[in-house]
Amino acid sequence: MPIGEFGGAPPEATEAAPVLTTPLYWMYEMGQASLNPLRAMSDATKLLFQNPLNPLAHTDVGKSIAASCELFERTTRRYGKPEWGIKDVEVAGMRVPVTIQTIWERPFCKLLHFERMVARPPRTPQPRVLLVAPMSGHYATLLRGTVEAFLPNHEVYITDWADARMVPLSAGRFDLDDYIDYVIEMLQFLGDNVHVVAVCQPSVPVLAAAALMETSRDPHVPLSMTLMGGPIDTRRNPTAVNNLAQERGIDWFRNTVITRVPFPHPGFMRDVYPGFLQLNGFVSMNLDRHIDAHKNLFRHLVEGDGDSAQKHREFYDEYLAVMDLTAEYYLQTVDTVFVKHALPKGEMTHRGKPIDLSQIVRIALMTVEGEKDDISGLGQTEAAHALCSSLSADKKVHYVQKGVGHYGVFNGSRFRSEIVPRISDFMQNAAQGRKLHVVSRRPNARSAVD
């Protein structure tokens, strides 16, 4: 089952050792190792039948053999973490280089800053945006298009979550409470005048973090938060992903999808929801579409349509790259969000303390949904507005993008042309509103924001 948006179960649910799936990861590793010689042979065969000096390379038979070899290698390969590949960006009509720096780090996450090497800073400071990437199977690079869309007019930071199989047991646990702590720490680290954008799954922990910061009167609360396609209340228009959690129950997930990281990975013996099982869930949701895509790749390779073949490679290099999630995080999230609906019911807690969304009064809220979203149904993200009952109406914005599904909420042409401009306007208005509020509250004092 793909985590889709979110998952969860109580932390104590993972204390018992997995029984049914303990050998599963080990068998997967053995299978990968056994295929290495075949992949090497396949690569050699492909090179042979692509060599222009080979007369068969120019025949349909030779091209078909080379295409078959590439498909075999690509469908059996383990895909590593993709590169960001963002080298430059256009700012104010000029191409400027971009450097990616790690500015904050914990065992399960790095905070990356996409620094634009502009010769002269803009006269009006551009919004500082913390993008909270999903921790739901794919790497943060899945939001490459999201980053590229914000970069020209924003200072962009993003959460780069770690693959759990690469984190040693000595680093400790990581659950939903830790996720919320990380978000709060990053916002405090970035300081004032920051806008936070939660893409899909992080909508719940970001909203919870905002409530906790407001409750403690934290001075570093973000100016605004934008929740995009997130499962705030999965009782509204439940999708197949939502219904599966209700039907199966948390014990099924614990006994079916949780296994242990095998040697020699750094996370040896850590309980995880492994990436290869998640990938199986992702693919099975739209199996026919993926089969057709690979049939088309074969045809493009035989016909010599290099551009179409390269687009397929780029998409699947990203889509098939998956990471392991810690068992405690996955189970706690499935239970909290999909099974118990704890946040919309007012029953969610953080380290034993209740999360009260009515405490949110300073942070402007925008929600974005896709008309055809089949993972987070329409209304699930919008539910945040009713839950933030103390937030004034002039600090709330909701937008539904027509004609897009889940992925189109944060990537693609409509995201760039229609969603990003609206989010930018919302951020600017939120920043101005915060500034005016501070000035009007302390008319005889110089504003800290000024």
Side-chain angles (χ1 to χ4, degrees):
M1 174 234 176
I3 194 170
E5 288 303 351
F6 236 55
E12 62 270 14
T14 63
E15 290 179 1
V19 178
L20 299 179
T21 58
T22 296
L24 190 59
Y25 211 146
W26 304 72
M27 294 171 63
Y28 171 78
E29 291 291 336
M30 290 175 61
Q32 284 291 313
S34 67
L35 286 172
N36 283 337
L38 294 177
R39 279 194 287 264
M41 186 182 300
S42 178
D43 278 343
T45 304
K46 183 183 75 169
L47 291 174
L48 174 64
F49 283 93
Q50 286 181 335
N51 190 327
L53 299 179
N54 182 355
L56 290 176
H58 306 285
T59 67
D60 288 343
V61 172
K63 292 176 181 178
S64 297
I65 293 174
S68 298
C69 290
E70 178 166 342
L71 255 68
F72 173 78
E73 191 279 330
R74 292 189 63 84
T75 53
T76 60
R77 177 200 309 178
R78 167 183 271 169
Y79 288 78
K81 181 179 180 180
E83 298 292 331
W84 281 100
I86 300 177
K87 304 297 183 182
D88 53 47
V89 66
E90 184 173 314
V91 179
M94 297 181 61
R95 301 298 301 185
V96 300
V98 174
T99 62
I100 305 174
Q101 300 178 345
T102 299
I103 59 172
W104 178 94
E105 186 172 359
R106 294 292 183 271
F108 290 90
C109 185
K110 295 179 181 178
L111 180 60
L112 304 183
H113 177 211
F114 292 82
E115 184 175 3
R116 303 165 302 169
M117 311 303 290
V118 294
R120 289 178 295 180
R123 292 181 179 179
T124 303
Q126 295 183 331
R128 301 169 66 218
V129 179
L130 170 61
L131 284 174
V132 183
M135 191 179 187
S136 56
H138 288 104
Y139 292 94
T141 51
L142 188 68
L143 300 189
R144 183 184 295 104
T146 315
V147 172
E148 290 176 328
F150 276 107
L151 266 179
N153 301 301
H154 305 79
E155 197 72 38
V156 179
Y157 306 82
I158 195 169
T159 58
D160 188 18
W161 300 105
D163 186 341
R165 69 188 167 102
M166 303 304 293
V167 183
L169 270 177
S170 58
R173 297 161 47 89
F174 183 85
D175 60 14
L176 184 56
D177 288 337
D178 295 309
Y179 193 121
I180 294 171
D181 287 336
Y182 275 31
V183 171
I184 293 174
E185 287 184 33
M186 284 184 278
L187 288 170
Q188 292 172 336
F189 174 81
L190 292 174
D192 298 333
N193 303 324
V194 173
H195 305 265
V196 61
V197 176
V199 181
C200 314
Q201 169 266 325
S203 294
V204 169
V206 166
L207 190 57
L212 291 167
M213 294 179 77
E214 286 275 40
T215 301
S216 64
R217 306 307 298 167
D218 193 313
H220 300 303
V221 294
L223 291 168
S224 74
M225 61 178 164
T226 302
L227 311 180
M228 306 177 65
I232 300 301
D233 188 350
T234 58
R235 296 171 299 179
R236 296 191 179 189
N237 292 323
T239 63
V241 174
N242 307 149
N243 291 331
L244 182 60
Q246 290 285 333
E247 295 169 0
R248 297 290 188 176
I250 199 63
D251 288 339
W252 182 88
F253 291 99
R254 182 174 61 250
N255 295 326
T256 306
V257 303
I258 302 303
T259 184
R260 282 182 174 160
V261 177
F263 183 83
H265 299 296
F268 174 54
M269 294 304 288
R270 179 181 292 281
D271 288 348
V272 296
Y273 177 23
F276 68 89
L277 280 183
Q278 299 172 62
L279 185 59
N280 177 71
F282 295 147
V283 172
S284 64
M285 289 181 67
N286 297 285
L287 183 59
D288 292 343
R289 184 186 305 173
H290 294 297
I291 292 175
D292 289 342
H294 283 77
K295 287 181 180 177
N296 290 334
L297 173 62
F298 180 86
R299 179 169 55 82
H300 295 321
L301 291 171
V302 172
E303 295 174 352
D305 186 352
D307 290 341
S308 297
Q310 185 58 28
K311 289 180 181 179
H312 174 100
R313 294 188 189 103
E314 291 173 355
F315 174 80
Y316 279 98
D317 284 353
E318 188 76 54
Y319 187 81
L320 299 177
V322 289
M323 53 187 270
D324 294 357
L325 306 179
T326 63
E328 58 270 18
Y329 163 78
Y330 176 74
L331 293 174
Q332 185 184 1
T333 310
V334 169
D335 190 57
T336 300
V337 179
F338 285 146
V339 177
K340 293 182 177 177
H341 312 292
L343 186 65
K345 288 182 177 179
E347 299 171 356
M348 185 173 175
T349 61
H350 174 263
R351 306 203 182 280
K353 297 181 179 179
I355 294 173
D356 184 2
L357 298 184
S358 68
Q359 294 292 319
I360 298 177
V361 294
R362 294 178 287 170
I363 309 170
L365 171 64
M366 180 177 185
T367 53
V368 181
E369 296 182 329
E371 181 186 28
K372 299 180 179 180
D373 196 331
D374 59 352
I375 294 181
S376 291
L378 274 175
Q380 292 187 7
T381 313
E382 184 187 13
H385 291 285
L387 297 173
C388 297
S389 56
S390 300
L391 194 62
S392 59
D394 61 340
K395 288 182 176 289
K396 296 179 179 180
V397 175
H398 178 63
Y399 177 68
V400 176
Q401 178 60 54
K402 294 184 177 180
V404 303
H406 186 69
Y407 191 73
V409 172
F410 58 89
N411 218 329
S413 59
R414 291 185 180 177
F415 170 74
R416 293 189 297 271
S417 63
E418 300 186 46
I419 296 177
V420 170
R422 286 179 167 86
I423 296 176
S424 296
D425 289 343
F426 164 72
M427 290 178 178
Q428 292 175 1
N429 292 334
Q432 293 170 358
R434 174 69 64 82
K435 184 173 181 178
L436 290 173
H437 175 70
V438 173
V439 171
S440 63
R441 187 178 59 184
R442 301 179 59 198
N444 299 319
R446 182 175 178 80
S447 167
V449 178
D450 289 339

